[in-house]
Amino acid sequence: MSGAALKLGCIADDFTGATDLANNLVRAGMRVVQTIGVPSGPLGTEVDAVVVALKSRTIPADQAVAQSLDALRWLKSQDAQQIYFKYCSTFDSTPAGNIGPVTEALMDALGSDFSIATPAFPDNKRTVFKGYLFAGDVLLSESGMQNHPLTPMTDPNLVRVLQSQTRRKVGLIDHSVVAQGATAIQSRIAALKADGVGIAIVDAVSNDDLLRMGPALADLPLVTAGSGVAIALPANFGLQPSNQAAALPAAYGLQAVVSGSCSVATNAQVAHFIASGRPALALQPLRMAAGDDVVREALDWARPHLASGPVLVYSTAEPDDVRAIQAQLGVEQAGAMVEQTLAAIARGLVELGVRQLIVAGGETSGACVQALGIAQMRIGGQIDPGVPWCHAASAAAPEGLHIALKSGNFGSTDFFTKAFTCLQG
Ligand code: ADP
Protein backbone atom coordinates (compact mmCIF):
# COMPACT_ATOMS: atom_id res chain seq x y z
CA MET A 1 0.00 0.00 0.00
CA SER A 2 2.81 2.31 -1.02
CA GLY A 3 2.71 4.80 1.85
CA ALA A 4 -0.93 5.93 1.84
CA ALA A 5 -2.99 4.69 4.77
CA LEU A 6 -6.02 2.58 4.10
CA LYS A 7 -9.17 4.40 5.17
CA LEU A 8 -11.47 1.44 5.67
CA GLY A 9 -10.41 -2.15 6.30
CA CYS A 10 -13.26 -4.64 5.85
CA ILE A 11 -13.64 -8.26 6.82
CA ALA A 12 -16.51 -10.07 5.08
CA ASP A 13 -17.77 -13.49 6.19
CA ASP A 14 -18.45 -14.73 2.66
CA PHE A 15 -17.38 -14.16 -0.91
CA THR A 16 -20.41 -12.65 -2.64
CA GLY A 17 -21.19 -10.63 0.52
CA ALA A 18 -17.73 -9.12 0.18
CA THR A 19 -18.48 -8.05 -3.39
CA ASP A 20 -21.82 -6.59 -2.32
CA LEU A 21 -20.04 -4.46 0.33
CA ALA A 22 -17.28 -3.45 -2.08
CA ASN A 23 -19.92 -2.42 -4.62
CA ASN A 24 -21.64 -0.11 -2.12
CA LEU A 25 -18.34 1.46 -1.07
CA VAL A 26 -17.39 2.15 -4.71
CA ARG A 27 -20.77 3.74 -5.36
CA ALA A 28 -20.21 6.02 -2.37
CA GLY A 29 -16.84 7.16 -3.73
CA MET A 30 -14.16 4.76 -2.48
CA ARG A 31 -11.59 2.99 -4.64
CA VAL A 32 -11.84 -0.62 -3.47
CA VAL A 33 -9.97 -3.90 -3.83
CA GLN A 34 -11.51 -7.18 -2.71
CA THR A 35 -9.03 -9.89 -1.74
CA ILE A 36 -9.72 -13.61 -1.76
CA GLY A 37 -8.70 -14.53 1.76
CA VAL A 38 -5.99 -12.70 3.71
CA PRO A 39 -3.22 -11.41 1.41
CA SER A 40 0.33 -12.57 2.06
CA GLY A 41 1.86 -9.15 1.42
CA PRO A 42 1.03 -5.55 0.48
CA LEU A 43 -1.51 -4.94 -2.31
CA GLY A 44 0.76 -3.09 -4.69
CA THR A 45 -1.94 -0.56 -5.55
CA GLU A 46 -3.35 2.47 -3.74
CA VAL A 47 -7.02 2.28 -2.75
CA ASP A 48 -9.33 3.72 -0.07
CA ALA A 49 -10.73 0.42 1.19
CA VAL A 50 -9.90 -3.26 1.09
CA VAL A 51 -12.53 -5.95 1.62
CA VAL A 52 -10.96 -9.22 2.75
CA ALA A 53 -13.34 -12.01 1.70
CA LEU A 54 -13.38 -14.93 4.13
CA LYS A 55 -15.61 -18.01 4.06
CA SER A 56 -16.32 -17.88 7.80
CA ARG A 57 -20.09 -17.58 8.08
CA THR A 58 -20.85 -21.17 9.01
CA ILE A 59 -17.51 -22.61 10.14
CA PRO A 60 -16.92 -23.26 13.90
CA ALA A 61 -16.76 -20.00 15.87
CA ASP A 62 -13.16 -20.43 17.05
CA GLN A 63 -12.01 -20.79 13.43
CA ALA A 64 -14.09 -17.79 12.33
CA VAL A 65 -12.47 -15.76 15.13
CA ALA A 66 -8.95 -16.89 14.18
CA GLN A 67 -9.46 -16.07 10.49
CA SER A 68 -11.03 -12.69 11.29
CA LEU A 69 -8.15 -11.77 13.62
CA ASP A 70 -5.71 -12.79 10.91
CA ALA A 71 -7.52 -10.44 8.49
CA LEU A 72 -7.49 -7.69 11.14
CA ARG A 73 -3.72 -8.03 11.60
CA TRP A 74 -3.17 -7.64 7.87
CA LEU A 75 -5.54 -4.65 7.63
CA LYS A 76 -3.80 -2.96 10.59
CA SER A 77 -0.43 -3.62 8.93
CA GLN A 78 -1.83 -1.54 6.04
CA ASP A 79 -2.72 1.22 8.55
CA ALA A 80 -6.49 0.81 8.17
CA GLN A 81 -8.11 3.69 10.06
CA GLN A 82 -11.45 1.97 10.74
CA ILE A 83 -12.52 -1.68 10.61
CA TYR A 84 -15.84 -2.92 9.16
CA PHE A 85 -17.02 -6.47 9.90
CA LYS A 86 -19.57 -7.42 7.22
CA TYR A 87 -22.15 -10.17 7.65
CA CYS A 88 -25.34 -11.11 5.85
CA SER A 89 -28.32 -8.74 5.73
CA THR A 90 -30.35 -11.59 7.22
CA PHE A 91 -27.90 -11.77 10.18
CA ASP A 92 -27.15 -15.45 9.39
CA SER A 93 -25.76 -17.00 12.57
CA THR A 94 -26.59 -19.49 15.31
CA PRO A 95 -26.47 -19.24 19.14
CA ALA A 96 -22.98 -20.78 18.80
CA GLY A 97 -21.83 -17.86 16.63
CA ASN A 98 -20.33 -16.42 14.55
CA ILE A 99 -21.36 -12.75 14.57
CA GLY A 100 -21.08 -12.31 18.36
CA PRO A 101 -17.75 -14.09 18.90
CA VAL A 102 -16.09 -12.41 15.91
CA THR A 103 -17.35 -8.95 16.94
CA GLU A 104 -16.12 -9.49 20.48
CA ALA A 105 -12.70 -10.73 19.36
CA LEU A 106 -12.25 -7.78 16.98
CA MET A 107 -13.28 -5.32 19.74
CA ASP A 108 -10.82 -6.92 22.16
CA ALA A 109 -8.01 -6.76 19.61
CA LEU A 110 -8.81 -3.12 18.81
CA GLY A 111 -9.21 -2.15 22.48
CA SER A 112 -12.72 -0.93 21.66
CA ASP A 113 -15.45 -0.65 24.30
CA PHE A 114 -18.34 0.05 21.91
CA SER A 115 -19.54 -1.00 18.50
CA ILE A 116 -22.78 -1.13 16.56
CA ALA A 117 -24.53 -3.93 14.72
CA THR A 118 -27.11 -3.48 11.98
CA PRO A 119 -27.84 -5.69 8.99
CA ALA A 120 -30.22 -3.03 7.58
CA PHE A 121 -30.00 -2.76 3.78
CA PRO A 122 -33.15 -0.90 2.68
CA ASP A 123 -32.21 -1.08 -1.04
CA ASN A 124 -32.50 -4.84 -0.63
CA LYS A 125 -35.64 -4.66 1.53
CA ARG A 126 -33.87 -5.49 4.80
CA THR A 127 -35.00 -3.08 7.51
CA VAL A 128 -34.57 -2.97 11.28
CA PHE A 129 -37.25 -1.40 13.51
CA LYS A 130 -37.29 -1.55 17.33
CA GLY A 131 -34.50 -4.07 16.98
CA TYR A 132 -36.64 -6.42 14.85
CA LEU A 133 -35.32 -7.43 11.44
CA PHE A 134 -37.71 -7.46 8.50
CA ALA A 135 -37.07 -9.14 5.14
CA GLY A 136 -39.44 -7.46 2.71
CA ASP A 137 -42.83 -7.10 4.38
CA VAL A 138 -42.39 -9.84 6.97
CA LEU A 139 -40.32 -10.53 10.06
CA LEU A 140 -37.09 -12.44 9.44
CA SER A 141 -38.56 -15.48 11.21
CA GLU A 142 -41.45 -15.62 8.72
CA SER A 143 -39.35 -14.94 5.62
CA GLY A 144 -38.18 -18.48 4.90
CA MET A 145 -34.94 -17.87 6.85
CA GLN A 146 -36.48 -19.89 9.73
CA ASN A 147 -35.91 -22.93 7.49
CA HIS A 148 -32.34 -22.16 6.40
CA PRO A 149 -30.37 -25.43 6.42
CA LEU A 150 -27.30 -24.01 8.19
CA THR A 151 -28.40 -20.87 10.03
CA PRO A 152 -32.14 -21.03 10.77
CA MET A 153 -33.31 -17.63 12.03
CA THR A 154 -36.32 -18.23 14.27
CA ASP A 155 -36.05 -15.05 16.40
CA PRO A 156 -36.37 -11.71 14.55
CA ASN A 157 -35.29 -9.69 17.64
CA LEU A 158 -31.65 -8.88 16.98
CA VAL A 159 -30.94 -7.68 20.52
CA ARG A 160 -31.85 -11.15 21.79
CA VAL A 161 -30.13 -12.96 18.91
CA LEU A 162 -26.86 -11.09 19.40
CA GLN A 163 -27.05 -11.25 23.22
CA SER A 164 -27.15 -15.05 22.97
CA GLN A 165 -23.81 -14.96 21.12
CA THR A 166 -21.76 -12.52 23.21
CA ARG A 167 -20.70 -11.74 26.78
CA ARG A 168 -20.84 -8.00 26.06
CA LYS A 169 -24.12 -6.33 26.96
CA VAL A 170 -26.28 -5.67 23.88
CA GLY A 171 -28.52 -2.58 23.63
CA LEU A 172 -30.64 -0.75 21.07
CA ILE A 173 -30.51 2.61 19.30
CA ASP A 174 -34.07 2.75 18.12
CA HIS A 175 -35.67 4.60 15.26
CA SER A 176 -36.92 7.52 17.35
CA VAL A 177 -33.25 8.37 18.05
CA VAL A 178 -31.92 7.59 14.56
CA ALA A 179 -34.59 9.85 13.03
CA GLN A 180 -33.19 12.82 14.99
CA GLY A 181 -29.75 12.50 13.40
CA ALA A 182 -26.11 12.05 14.32
CA THR A 183 -26.01 14.22 17.46
CA ALA A 184 -28.92 12.33 19.03
CA ILE A 185 -27.30 9.01 18.07
CA GLN A 186 -24.03 10.10 19.67
CA SER A 187 -25.85 11.05 22.89
CA ARG A 188 -27.58 7.68 22.91
CA ILE A 189 -24.22 5.93 22.42
CA ALA A 190 -22.82 7.82 25.43
CA ALA A 191 -25.85 6.83 27.54
CA LEU A 192 -25.62 3.19 26.47
CA LYS A 193 -21.90 3.09 27.29
CA ALA A 194 -22.60 4.56 30.74
CA ASP A 195 -25.09 1.73 31.16
CA GLY A 196 -22.46 -0.88 30.38
CA VAL A 197 -23.66 -1.66 26.85
CA GLY A 198 -20.87 -2.82 24.54
CA ILE A 199 -22.75 -3.39 21.28
CA ALA A 200 -25.93 -1.67 20.08
CA ILE A 201 -28.32 -2.85 17.40
CA VAL A 202 -29.27 0.23 15.34
CA ASP A 203 -32.64 0.69 13.63
CA ALA A 204 -32.73 1.79 9.99
CA VAL A 205 -35.68 1.60 7.61
CA SER A 206 -34.35 3.83 4.82
CA ASN A 207 -31.11 4.98 3.22
CA ASP A 208 -31.73 8.33 4.92
CA ASP A 209 -31.51 6.56 8.28
CA LEU A 210 -28.18 5.03 7.25
CA LEU A 211 -26.90 8.41 6.08
CA ARG A 212 -27.96 10.02 9.39
CA MET A 213 -26.10 7.27 11.21
CA GLY A 214 -22.85 7.71 9.28
CA PRO A 215 -21.33 10.74 11.04
CA ALA A 216 -22.09 9.24 14.47
CA LEU A 217 -19.93 6.22 13.58
CA ALA A 218 -16.83 8.16 12.53
CA ASP A 219 -14.90 7.59 15.77
CA LEU A 220 -15.71 3.91 16.28
CA PRO A 221 -12.68 1.65 15.74
CA LEU A 222 -15.08 -1.10 14.62
CA VAL A 223 -18.40 -1.03 12.78
CA THR A 224 -20.30 -4.30 12.24
CA ALA A 225 -23.09 -4.39 9.68
CA GLY A 226 -24.52 -5.79 6.47
CA SER A 227 -23.51 -3.88 3.37
CA GLY A 228 -26.04 -1.05 3.92
CA VAL A 229 -24.04 1.10 6.36
CA ALA A 230 -21.27 1.24 3.75
CA ILE A 231 -23.17 3.93 1.84
CA ALA A 232 -22.66 6.34 4.75
CA LEU A 233 -19.00 5.84 5.69
CA PRO A 234 -16.97 7.23 2.75
CA ALA A 235 -18.27 10.75 3.52
CA ASN A 236 -16.60 10.52 6.94
CA PHE A 237 -13.29 10.37 5.06
CA GLY A 238 -14.18 13.36 2.89
CA LEU A 239 -15.10 11.22 -0.14
CA GLN A 240 -18.07 11.85 -2.41
CA PRO A 241 -19.56 9.60 -5.12
CA SER A 242 -17.49 9.87 -8.32
CA ASN A 243 -17.00 7.91 -11.54
CA GLN A 244 -13.29 7.82 -10.76
CA ALA A 245 -13.83 5.37 -7.90
CA ALA A 246 -15.26 2.80 -10.31
CA ALA A 247 -12.67 3.31 -13.07
CA LEU A 248 -11.18 0.07 -14.45
CA PRO A 249 -8.71 -0.49 -17.29
CA ALA A 250 -10.30 -0.52 -20.78
CA ALA A 251 -11.97 -3.82 -21.66
CA TYR A 252 -10.79 -5.89 -24.60
CA GLY A 253 -10.68 -9.55 -25.66
CA LEU A 254 -13.29 -12.27 -26.12
CA GLN A 255 -16.51 -12.56 -24.08
CA ALA A 256 -18.04 -15.55 -22.27
CA VAL A 257 -20.54 -16.53 -19.59
CA VAL A 258 -20.18 -19.61 -17.37
CA SER A 259 -23.28 -20.43 -15.33
CA GLY A 260 -23.62 -23.00 -12.55
CA SER A 261 -26.43 -21.25 -10.69
CA CYS A 262 -29.83 -22.95 -10.74
CA SER A 263 -31.67 -20.06 -9.09
CA VAL A 264 -34.89 -18.70 -10.57
CA ALA A 265 -33.26 -15.50 -11.85
CA THR A 266 -30.39 -17.37 -13.49
CA ASN A 267 -32.74 -19.79 -15.27
CA ALA A 268 -34.53 -16.77 -16.75
CA GLN A 269 -31.20 -15.16 -17.74
CA VAL A 270 -30.03 -18.33 -19.50
CA ALA A 271 -33.37 -18.59 -21.35
CA HIS A 272 -33.11 -14.94 -22.40
CA PHE A 273 -29.57 -15.38 -23.72
CA ILE A 274 -30.63 -18.44 -25.77
CA ALA A 275 -33.76 -16.68 -27.05
CA SER A 276 -31.58 -13.81 -28.27
CA GLY A 277 -30.02 -16.29 -30.72
CA ARG A 278 -26.54 -16.37 -29.18
CA PRO A 279 -24.46 -19.56 -28.90
CA ALA A 280 -25.12 -21.54 -25.71
CA LEU A 281 -23.96 -25.00 -24.62
CA ALA A 282 -25.78 -27.02 -21.93
CA LEU A 283 -23.60 -29.36 -19.86
CA GLN A 284 -24.90 -32.77 -18.75
CA PRO A 285 -23.84 -33.67 -15.19
CA LEU A 286 -24.40 -37.39 -15.86
CA ARG A 287 -21.82 -37.27 -18.66
CA MET A 288 -19.35 -35.59 -16.28
CA ALA A 289 -20.01 -38.39 -13.78
CA ALA A 290 -19.43 -40.98 -16.52
CA GLY A 291 -15.96 -39.52 -17.06
CA ASP A 292 -16.58 -37.94 -20.49
CA ASP A 293 -14.20 -35.08 -21.29
CA VAL A 294 -16.87 -32.38 -21.25
CA VAL A 295 -14.27 -29.67 -20.58
CA ARG A 296 -12.45 -30.35 -23.84
CA GLU A 297 -15.75 -30.70 -25.72
CA ALA A 298 -16.99 -27.37 -24.37
CA LEU A 299 -13.78 -25.58 -25.33
CA ASP A 300 -13.80 -27.15 -28.81
CA TRP A 301 -17.42 -26.00 -29.17
CA ALA A 302 -16.66 -22.46 -27.94
CA ARG A 303 -13.53 -21.82 -30.03
CA PRO A 304 -15.21 -21.01 -33.39
CA HIS A 305 -18.08 -19.09 -31.78
CA LEU A 306 -15.98 -16.75 -29.63
CA ALA A 307 -14.88 -14.49 -32.47
CA SER A 308 -18.46 -13.36 -33.15
CA GLY A 309 -19.55 -12.40 -29.63
CA PRO A 310 -20.32 -13.79 -26.18
CA VAL A 311 -20.87 -17.53 -25.66
CA LEU A 312 -22.63 -19.21 -22.74
CA VAL A 313 -21.67 -22.55 -21.15
CA TYR A 314 -24.15 -23.62 -18.49
CA SER A 315 -25.26 -26.39 -16.16
CA THR A 316 -28.18 -24.22 -15.03
CA ALA A 317 -31.31 -26.35 -14.80
CA GLU A 318 -34.83 -26.27 -13.38
CA PRO A 319 -35.37 -27.59 -9.81
CA ASP A 320 -36.83 -30.96 -10.92
CA ASP A 321 -33.81 -31.69 -13.11
CA VAL A 322 -31.41 -30.66 -10.36
CA ARG A 323 -33.20 -32.91 -7.86
CA ALA A 324 -33.02 -35.85 -10.28
CA ILE A 325 -29.25 -35.38 -10.69
CA GLN A 326 -28.79 -34.97 -6.93
CA ALA A 327 -30.78 -38.15 -6.29
CA GLN A 328 -28.44 -40.08 -8.58
CA LEU A 329 -25.11 -38.53 -7.61
CA GLY A 330 -25.65 -37.08 -4.12
CA VAL A 331 -26.17 -33.36 -3.41
CA GLU A 332 -22.61 -32.47 -2.44
CA GLN A 333 -20.94 -34.71 -5.01
CA ALA A 334 -23.08 -33.30 -7.83
CA GLY A 335 -22.42 -29.72 -6.67
CA ALA A 336 -18.65 -30.16 -6.36
CA MET A 337 -18.35 -32.04 -9.66
CA VAL A 338 -20.30 -29.41 -11.61
CA GLU A 339 -18.39 -26.56 -9.93
CA GLN A 340 -15.02 -28.11 -10.78
CA THR A 341 -16.06 -28.74 -14.39
CA LEU A 342 -17.30 -25.17 -14.87
CA ALA A 343 -14.14 -23.82 -13.22
CA ALA A 344 -11.94 -25.81 -15.61
CA ILE A 345 -14.01 -24.50 -18.53
CA ALA A 346 -13.69 -20.91 -17.25
CA ARG A 347 -9.93 -21.33 -17.10
CA GLY A 348 -9.84 -22.88 -20.57
CA LEU A 349 -11.91 -20.01 -21.96
CA VAL A 350 -9.47 -17.47 -20.52
CA GLU A 351 -6.61 -19.46 -22.07
CA LEU A 352 -8.48 -19.13 -25.38
CA GLY A 353 -8.43 -15.34 -25.04
CA VAL A 354 -11.58 -14.54 -23.06
CA ARG A 355 -10.91 -11.32 -21.14
CA GLN A 356 -14.53 -10.44 -20.26
CA LEU A 357 -16.02 -13.23 -18.18
CA ILE A 358 -19.31 -13.50 -16.30
CA VAL A 359 -19.73 -16.28 -13.74
CA ALA A 360 -23.21 -17.02 -12.37
CA GLY A 361 -23.55 -18.71 -8.98
CA GLY A 362 -21.97 -17.98 -5.60
CA GLU A 363 -20.28 -21.35 -5.11
CA THR A 364 -19.52 -21.54 -8.82
CA SER A 365 -17.82 -18.13 -8.58
CA GLY A 366 -15.63 -19.34 -5.72
CA ALA A 367 -14.52 -22.36 -7.75
CA CYS A 368 -13.82 -20.27 -10.88
CA VAL A 369 -11.85 -17.59 -9.01
CA GLN A 370 -9.74 -20.35 -7.46
CA ALA A 371 -9.17 -22.11 -10.81
CA LEU A 372 -8.17 -18.79 -12.38
CA GLY A 373 -5.67 -18.14 -9.57
CA ILE A 374 -7.22 -14.75 -8.73
CA ALA A 375 -5.97 -13.30 -5.45
CA GLN A 376 -7.53 -9.84 -5.58
CA MET A 377 -10.01 -7.87 -7.67
CA ARG A 378 -10.38 -4.13 -8.25
CA ILE A 379 -14.08 -3.26 -8.02
CA GLY A 380 -15.62 -1.28 -10.87
CA GLY A 381 -19.05 -0.01 -11.87
CA GLN A 382 -22.32 -1.68 -10.92
CA ILE A 383 -24.10 -3.72 -13.59
CA ASP A 384 -27.14 -4.43 -11.41
CA PRO A 385 -27.57 -4.03 -7.61
CA GLY A 386 -24.92 -6.12 -5.87
CA VAL A 387 -23.02 -7.07 -9.05
CA PRO A 388 -20.12 -4.93 -10.26
CA TRP A 389 -17.59 -5.54 -13.01
CA CYS A 390 -14.19 -6.26 -11.50
CA HIS A 391 -10.66 -6.36 -12.88
CA ALA A 392 -8.24 -9.03 -11.76
CA ALA A 393 -4.89 -10.51 -12.63
CA SER A 394 -5.07 -14.26 -13.16
CA ALA A 395 -2.47 -16.94 -13.61
CA ALA A 396 -4.14 -17.51 -17.01
CA ALA A 397 -4.18 -13.77 -17.85
CA PRO A 398 -1.32 -12.03 -16.01
CA GLU A 399 -2.16 -8.71 -17.70
CA GLY A 400 -5.65 -8.94 -16.23
CA LEU A 401 -9.23 -9.69 -17.21
CA HIS A 402 -12.66 -8.26 -16.49
CA ILE A 403 -14.83 -10.55 -14.41
CA ALA A 404 -18.35 -10.25 -12.99
CA LEU A 405 -19.47 -12.68 -10.29
CA LYS A 406 -23.26 -12.88 -10.09
CA SER A 407 -24.82 -14.65 -7.15
CA GLY A 408 -27.96 -16.66 -7.86
CA ASN A 409 -30.92 -14.36 -7.64
CA PHE A 410 -29.19 -11.13 -8.65
CA GLY A 411 -29.47 -9.40 -11.99
CA SER A 412 -32.13 -8.51 -14.56
CA THR A 413 -33.33 -11.05 -17.15
CA ASP A 414 -31.06 -9.62 -19.86
CA PHE A 415 -28.03 -9.59 -17.52
CA PHE A 416 -25.84 -11.85 -19.71
CA THR A 417 -26.02 -9.46 -22.65
CA LYS A 418 -26.49 -6.15 -20.82
CA ALA A 419 -23.35 -6.67 -18.73
CA PHE A 420 -21.09 -6.66 -21.81
CA THR A 421 -22.76 -3.51 -23.12
CA CYS A 422 -22.20 -1.80 -19.73
CA LEU A 423 -18.51 -2.68 -19.91
CA GLN A 424 -18.04 -1.12 -23.35
CA GLY A 425 -19.87 2.01 -22.15
P1 ADP B 1 -26.47 -19.82 -6.51
O1 ADP B 1 -25.71 -18.54 -6.32
O2 ADP B 1 -27.60 -19.70 -7.49
O3 ADP B 1 -26.87 -20.49 -5.21
P2 ADP B 1 -24.25 -21.64 -6.63
O4 ADP B 1 -23.17 -21.72 -7.66
O5 ADP B 1 -23.87 -21.07 -5.30
O6 ADP B 1 -25.47 -20.84 -7.27
O7 ADP B 1 -24.85 -23.05 -6.33
C1 ADP B 1 -25.36 -23.88 -7.33
C2 ADP B 1 -24.89 -25.31 -7.03
O8 ADP B 1 -25.62 -26.20 -7.86
C3 ADP B 1 -23.43 -25.52 -7.33
O9 ADP B 1 -22.85 -26.37 -6.36
C4 ADP B 1 -23.46 -26.19 -8.69
O10 ADP B 1 -22.32 -26.96 -8.95
C5 ADP B 1 -24.69 -27.05 -8.58
N1 ADP B 1 -25.28 -27.36 -9.88
C6 ADP B 1 -25.27 -26.59 -10.98
N2 ADP B 1 -25.92 -27.17 -11.99
C7 ADP B 1 -26.38 -28.34 -11.54
C8 ADP B 1 -27.15 -29.39 -12.11
N3 ADP B 1 -27.57 -29.33 -13.39
N4 ADP B 1 -27.44 -30.45 -11.34
C9 ADP B 1 -27.02 -30.51 -10.06
N5 ADP B 1 -26.30 -29.55 -9.46
C10 ADP B 1 -25.98 -28.48 -10.17
Side-chain angles (χ1 to χ4, degrees):
M1 177 100 342
S2 51
L6 198 56
K7 296 180 175 69
L8 203 56
C10 310
I11 303 167
D13 70 354
D14 92 331
F15 189 87
T16 42
T19 310
D20 181 14
L21 171 62
N23 184 54
N24 276 354
L25 291 171
V26 168
R27 294 176 69 218
M30 282 187 158
R31 298 162 301 164
V32 183
V33 159
Q34 173 179 340
T35 68
I36 318 306
V38 182
S40 48
L43 281 187
T45 174
E46 191 184 318
V47 288
D48 303 305
V50 173
V51 182
V52 177
L54 301 179
K55 212 171 182 297
S56 57
R57 183 169 296 167
T58 54
I59 62 177
D62 57 338
Q63 290 175 31
V65 165
Q67 288 184 20
S68 303
L69 289 175
D70 198 21
L72 176 67
R73 269 188 293 276
W74 183 83
L75 290 166
K76 293 306 280 182
S77 77
Q78 305 305 300
D79 296 328
Q81 294 169 37
Q82 187 173 40
I83 302 296
Y84 190 127
F85 169 40
K86 153 74 172 72
Y87 36 72
C88 190
S89 66
T90 41
F91 214 69
D92 300 22
S93 52
T94 69
N98 290 345
I99 295 175
V102 169
T103 300
E104 210 170 301
L106 293 173
M107 288 175 75
D108 289 347
L110 288 163
S112 164
D113 63 352
F114 187 85
S115 186
I116 61 124
T118 183
F121 187 12
D123 278 349
N124 224 2
K125 299 191 168 49
R126 308 286 191 261
T127 52
V128 182
F129 187 69
K130 300 281 178 194
Y132 285 79
L133 176 55
F134 292 81
D137 296 327
V138 298
L139 286 167
L140 179 68
S141 50
E142 299 169 17
S143 69
M145 276 303 291
Q146 71 273 28
N147 300 319
H148 191 283
L150 301 175
T151 51
M153 301 300 289
T154 54
D155 186 353
N157 183 306
L158 298 181
V159 176
R160 275 195 306 255
V161 170
L162 187 56
Q163 190 64 80
S164 72
Q165 301 177 19
T166 177
R167 286 164 300 192
R168 302 220 182 200
K169 189 170 166 189
V170 180
L172 175 66
I173 302 176
D174 83 4
H175 193 259
S176 63
V177 174
V178 173
Q180 293 172 54
T183 309
I185 297 171
Q186 264 159 341
S187 307
R188 176 73 178 149
I189 290 175
L192 287 169
K193 281 165 78 168
D195 210 22
V197 168
I199 312 169
I201 302 293
V202 192
D203 280 357
V205 299
S206 66
N207 282 346
D208 285 342
D209 287 338
L210 295 173
L211 294 170
R212 276 189 277 271
M213 202 185 297
L217 309 179
D219 295 331
L220 296 183
L222 174 72
V223 169
T224 88
S227 65
V229 170
I231 67 170
L233 297 187
N236 290 345
F237 298 94
L239 297 171
Q240 303 302 325
S242 82
N243 290 338
Q244 268 315 100
L248 296 181
Y252 69 100
L254 305 173
Q255 303 168 323
V257 185
V258 169
S259 177
S261 158
C262 298
S263 298
V264 176
T266 311
N267 268 290
Q269 288 154 351
V270 167
H272 184 275
F273 187 92
I274 295 169
S276 75
R278 294 172 194 277
L281 178 71
L283 301 179
Q284 308 299 336
L286 289 181
R287 293 198 54 227
M288 298 173 199
D292 293 351
D293 193 351
V294 295
V295 174
R296 193 180 51 83
E297 285 174 22
L299 296 174
D300 287 347
W301 168 85
R303 199 174 283 111
H305 287 300
L306 280 166
S308 35
V311 303
L312 164 66
V313 179
Y314 66 100
S315 66
T316 304
E318 297 289 347
D320 284 348
D321 298 324
V322 174
R323 270 193 291 273
I325 296 294
Q326 289 172 336
Q328 288 194 53
L329 303 177
V331 175
E332 279 178 25
Q333 292 86 336
M337 181 189 72
V338 174
E339 284 164 31
Q340 290 314 313
T341 304
L342 287 169
I345 291 170
R347 174 151 184 141
L349 288 168
V350 172
E351 285 165 356
L352 288 177
V354 167
R355 293 293 180 270
Q356 303 172 41
L357 178 69
I358 298 172
V359 183
E363 294 299 325
T364 309
S365 292
C368 288
V369 161
Q370 196 175 24
L372 287 167
I374 291 174
Q376 64 187 58
M377 311 188 302
R378 179 71 188 261
I379 308 295
Q382 171 174 295
I383 307 162
D384 268 328
V387 200
W389 272 111
C390 306
H391 189 262
S394 150
E399 73 290 6
L401 79 153
H402 288 78
I403 184 164
L405 306 171
K406 187 198 83 72
S407 75
N409 274 320
F410 283 5
S412 61
T413 304
D414 60 351
F415 186 90
F416 293 158
T417 45
K418 178 176 82 177
F420 294 112
T421 313
C422 287
L423 193 54
Q424 310 320 315

